[in-house]
């Protein structure tokens, strides 16, 4: 699928991209995207936790089945990971934020599932706002993240009748 987003008046940028499955050769670029996105939006992370999480990410990424948004030269711009109807990851290169890549990836996920869930770090106000604009609602809260670290998560859900 090739997609060219519509832009606000005065925005002369044009971006076309396709979505494809990831391959192990994407790992370095996807880790770079993850790192840049986390550094731009997760300023609440303790530096030691941030490094530990990156080590976990680097070990996991080569075997993960991401959906990757790529430009016309097949350079990854962003990616998502679904586990059934739960969004495990959505990361967009910081220099590509606001260009419709995350929205398109989410539209693909929403089109594939009647109900879609996601967990968002409570302190990540950018992600929280993004999911709320798509129609997700908070359904619960955990005081720790999935690895037991003290970063509260908001559990969110989008049902098909909200689309």
């Amino acid at each position: 699928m090739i997609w060219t987003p519509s832009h606000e008046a005065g925005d002369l940028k044009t971006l076309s991209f396709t979505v494809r499955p990831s391959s192990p050769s994407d790992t370095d670029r996807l880790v770079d995207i993850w790192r840049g996105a986390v550094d731009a939006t997760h300023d609440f992370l303790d530096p030691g936790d941030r490094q530990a999480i990156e080590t976990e990410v680097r070990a996991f990424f080569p075997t993960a089945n991401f959906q990757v948004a790529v430009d016309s030269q097949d350079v990854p711009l962003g990616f998502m990971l679904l586990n059934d109807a739960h969004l495990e990851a959505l990361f967009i290169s910081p220099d590509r934020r606001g260009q419709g890549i995350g929205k398109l990836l989410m539209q693909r996920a929403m089109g594939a599932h009647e109900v879609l869930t996601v967990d968002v770090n409570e302190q990540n106000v950018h992600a929280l706002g993004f999911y709320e604009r798509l129609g997700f609602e908070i359904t619960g809260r955990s005081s720790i993240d999935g690895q037991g670290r003290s970063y509260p998560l908001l559990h969110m859900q989008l049902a098909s009748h909200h689309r």
Side-chain angles (χ1 to χ4, degrees), residues 23-81:
S23 70
S25 65
D26 292 322
T27 298
D28 288 341
R29 175 66 182 146
L30 297 185
V31 170
D32 286 346
I33 290 170
W34 175 88
R35 184 183 305 114
V38 166
D39 289 348
T41 61
H42 291 63
D43 58 351
F44 53 88
L45 288 176
D46 172 83
D49 288 341
R50 162 65 179 67
Q51 185 57 45
I53 294 167
E54 182 167 341
T55 300
E56 295 164 9
V57 162
R58 185 163 284 286
F60 172 73
F61 274 31
T63 60
N65 294 313
F66 297 109
Q67 289 294 302
V68 182
V70 297
D71 67 12
S72 60
Q73 275 71 56
D74 200 42
V75 174
L77 307 171
F79 63 92
M80 76 172 173
L81 176 65

Side-chain angles (χ1 to χ4, degrees), residues 126-163:
H126 298 287
L128 180 59
F130 173 76
Y131 292 117
E132 287 177 333
R133 284 189 299 278
L134 291 175
F136 280 79
E137 297 175 352
I138 297 170
T139 59
R141 182 183 184 275
S142 298
S143 60
I144 58 173
D145 68 12
Q147 289 74 38
R149 295 180 182 104
S150 52
Y151 299 108
L153 293 178
L154 297 175
H155 309 295
M156 303 183 82
Q157 179 175 311
L158 177 72
S160 60
H161 68 275
H162 283 81
R163 297 179 198 168

Side-chain angles (χ1 to χ4, degrees), residues 84-141:
D84 295 321
H86 184 74
L87 182 68
E88 296 286 348
L90 177 67
F91 291 94
I92 308 303
S93 181
D95 62 334
R96 299 300 188 170
R97 282 180 53 199
Q99 296 180 2
I101 298 166
K103 186 174 180 180
L104 175 70
L105 288 169
M106 287 303 302
Q107 287 171 342
R108 292 173 63 101
M110 293 183 302
H113 301 282
E114 284 290 312
V115 176
L116 192 62
T117 61
V118 65
D119 295 329
V120 179
N121 287 107
E122 188 173 61
Q123 303 99 317
N124 188 346
V125 295
H126 298 287
L128 180 59
F130 173 76
Y131 292 117
E132 287 177 333
R133 284 189 299 278
L134 291 175
F136 280 79
E137 297 175 352
I138 297 170
T139 59
R141 182 183 184 275

